């Protein structure tokens, strides 16, 4: 069964609706912190064990938690998944000036140095 990204977003919306799941409806930014930490740790564990089938599953779990947090944000009128995707797309393009601009990076080390330089240039947080 092929599931499109928008269908996953819609699934989160359904789970948080009145007809959805009481546990999902109860979640907040604060309660989702532990879920994100736990799922991230499971991703790391799968990588450390080189357990590729489990890595695939854990990435899905982590992604779903991210989508659930974005759904909470949308309900709070803070932001939505569309704006998250637009911002990360813009950031990735701006930071990869050797791919999408005129900089040159022939090695991973050169790419990392440019990434760090671009991050400082583009972000007030550095």
């Amino acid at each position: 069964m092929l599931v499109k990204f928008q269908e996953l977003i819609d699934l989160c919306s359904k789970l948080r609706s009145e007809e959805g799941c009481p546990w999902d409806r109860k979640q907040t930014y604060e309660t989702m912190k532990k879920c994100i930490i736990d799922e991230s740790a499971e991703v790391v564990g799968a990588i450390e064990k080189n357990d590729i089938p489990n890595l695939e599953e854990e990435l899905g779990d982590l992604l779903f938690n991210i989508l659930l947090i974005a759904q909470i944000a949308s309900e709070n009128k803070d932001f939505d998944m569309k704006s998250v995707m637009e911002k990360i797309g813009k950031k990735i393009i701006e930071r990869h000036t050797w791919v999408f601009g005129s900089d040159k990076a022939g090695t991973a080390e050169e790419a990392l140095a440019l990434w760090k330089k671009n991050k400082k240039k583009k972000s007030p947080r550095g």
Side-chain angles (χ1 to χ4, degrees), residues 110-122:
E110 290 170 347
L112 181 58
L114 282 167
W115 174 274
K116 289 178 179 178
K117 180 186 104 183
N118 293 335
K119 183 177 179 181
K120 286 182 182 174
K121 180 172 52 175
K122 300 291 183 186

Side-chain angles (χ1 to χ4, degrees), residues 1 11 17 31 36 38-39 43 50 55 63 65 67 70 79 104 109 114 118:
M1 173 177 159
L11 184 61
S17 74
T31 62
I36 289 290
D38 290 349
E39 293 302 340
V43 166
N50 196 30
L55 176 59
L63 175 60
N65 277 273
L67 292 173
F79 57 85
K104 302 288 185 233
E109 294 76 16
L114 282 167
N118 293 335

Side-chain angles (χ1 to χ4, degrees), residues 10-35:
D10 295 343
L11 184 61
C12 285
S13 178
K14 174 72 173 178
L15 288 171
R16 298 259 314 156
S17 74
E18 287 302 315
E19 302 83 35
C21 171
W23 184 89
D24 290 294
R25 272 196 311 273
K26 186 178 177 182
Q27 299 316 299
T28 65
Y29 295 143
E30 191 64 30
T31 62
M32 289 302 297
K33 287 188 326 189
K34 182 174 179 354
C35 297

